[in-house]
Amino acid sequence: MPELLPGPALRSRVDEALRVFVREETELLVAIDAQLEPVAEQLRQAVAEGKRLRAAFAYWGWRASGQPDSEAMVRAAAAMELVHAAAVVHDDLIDDSPIRRGVPTAHRALRYAVADGPGCKAQGRSLAMLVGDQLMSWAGQMFAGCGLPAAYLARARPLWATLARELIAGECMEILRTSSTPSAESSLEIIRYKTAKYTVEHPLHLGGYLAGAPPALLDSFTAYGVPLGEAFQLRDDLLGVFGDPHRTGKSNLDDLAGAKPTALLAHALTGATPADRAHLQARLGRGSLSAAELDQLRDIIERSGARARVEEMIAQRATAARTALERAALPPQAAAALFELIAAATARTS
């Protein structure tokens, strides 16, 4: 049945592909030893929910290249959600984030899977690291076993090395630059490699390579995907400070308490008055902030003009993505879906 738009119908197909794969794999894991059940449960939790944007971009990269609807391609696209799940588990571990999607993060939940004692926190973190590793391994496994012809898979296989290299580079750059004075340029470089490429550009390329897309179309995917991926993460940075935790499902203290080198923070430090800048710098990276302190820092960021500047950056990048799409001369159905995905990636509250 042809897929019309990147909404609930495609998402439900991706969800089902993931459910089947994860059920089979966790059953095999627990068959080794029943004590592994808490680990299996965190693997299930890691992929249980999501917007499935990365899978949608991969699927529509395939369709934009002239290929028909395909259950095998839906499975290949779903593999991108396992990459994302792995990145989230590792990111939460790096940041020591307490909640994700309204429930304890993997490393917090897994503390209770080990014997209570002085080492339970470290053991929980170690188990979470392995959960993330397993998810990344599953991504390659699900992709290789999706059912598409081997010749198609061979065209896309080199992209996986690029994706992993750039994702790790972005994560490392963020760690290395955390607690230093951020610049907008440095923050955008981190965004580009840590999030933008694996969220939009690489999934589009995955679908395109599988479909045998010509270089000109792949260039169009980049012209659309990089600015849109940057806009996606800039929105995430705003939600990380100004979002409602009941909607985002995560703490809005993490970025400021961890002194993350975001574009929002870079613009706040540049635009703030000397007194506001000193107040902001004195509280960044303290590891914990009270609700009152968070409100004070939000006010400073607002007064500095940083929130409005980041909104402007998002709008500029969404416009660049639309312009690239208009110039690409894609099949109408794929073009409509990719236009809709611009709004899904940038105009969101969670």
Side-chain angles (χ1 to χ4, degrees), residues 9 71 83 93 104 107 132 154 237:
E71 286 301 324
V83 173
L93 185 59
H107 63 281
D237 291 345

Side-chain angles (χ1 to χ4, degrees), residues 333-345:
Q333 195 176 30
L338 291 171
F339 272 116
E340 184 177 312
L341 281 164
I342 294 173

Side-chain angles (χ1 to χ4, degrees), residues 16-177:
E16 180 59 21
L18 289 168
R19 272 194 296 269
V20 170
F21 180 88
V22 172
R23 182 180 65 244
E24 292 173 352
E25 288 299 318
T26 51
E27 285 174 356
L28 291 170
L29 181 68
V30 176
I32 295 171
D33 194 300
Q35 193 175 17
L36 295 169
E37 175 55 36
V39 175
E41 178 57 23
Q42 288 308 306
L43 288 162
R44 297 185 200 103
Q45 287 283 346
V47 297
E49 298 179 20
K51 301 174 188 68
R52 310 310 190 201
L53 288 177
R54 293 157 187 85
F57 285 119
Y59 175 86
W60 288 108
W62 163 270
R63 295 295 301 277
S65 304
Q67 292 286 358
D69 182 53
S70 161
E71 286 301 324
M73 183 58 216
V74 170
R75 289 190 290 273
M80 287 302 307
E81 296 299 324
L82 293 171
V83 173
H84 176 54
V88 165
V89 170
H90 284 151
D91 212 34
D92 287 342
L93 185 59
I94 291 165
D95 296 343
D96 197 22
S97 299
I99 59 169
R100 170 77 64 166
R101 296 175 184 144
V103 298
T105 48
H107 63 281
R108 293 292 182 99
L110 284 165
R111 289 183 190 179
Y112 305 107
V114 298
D116 192 23
C120 66
K121 180 177 179 180
Q123 288 173 311
R125 293 178 64 84
S126 297
L127 289 170
M129 179 184 69
L130 295 169
V131 165
D133 292 347
Q134 180 67 84
L135 288 163
M136 189 63 82
S137 175
W138 276 357
Q141 181 184 334
M142 189 174 191
F143 174 75
C146 69
L148 287 171
Y152 289 27
L153 298 177
R155 290 194 293 246
R157 193 167 291 120
L159 179 65
W160 285 90
T162 302
L163 184 156
R165 182 188 312 117
E166 294 183 348
L167 175 56
I168 296 300
E171 288 280 7
C172 290
M173 287 191 292
E174 182 177 69
I175 293 169
L176 292 167
R177 297 175 191 179

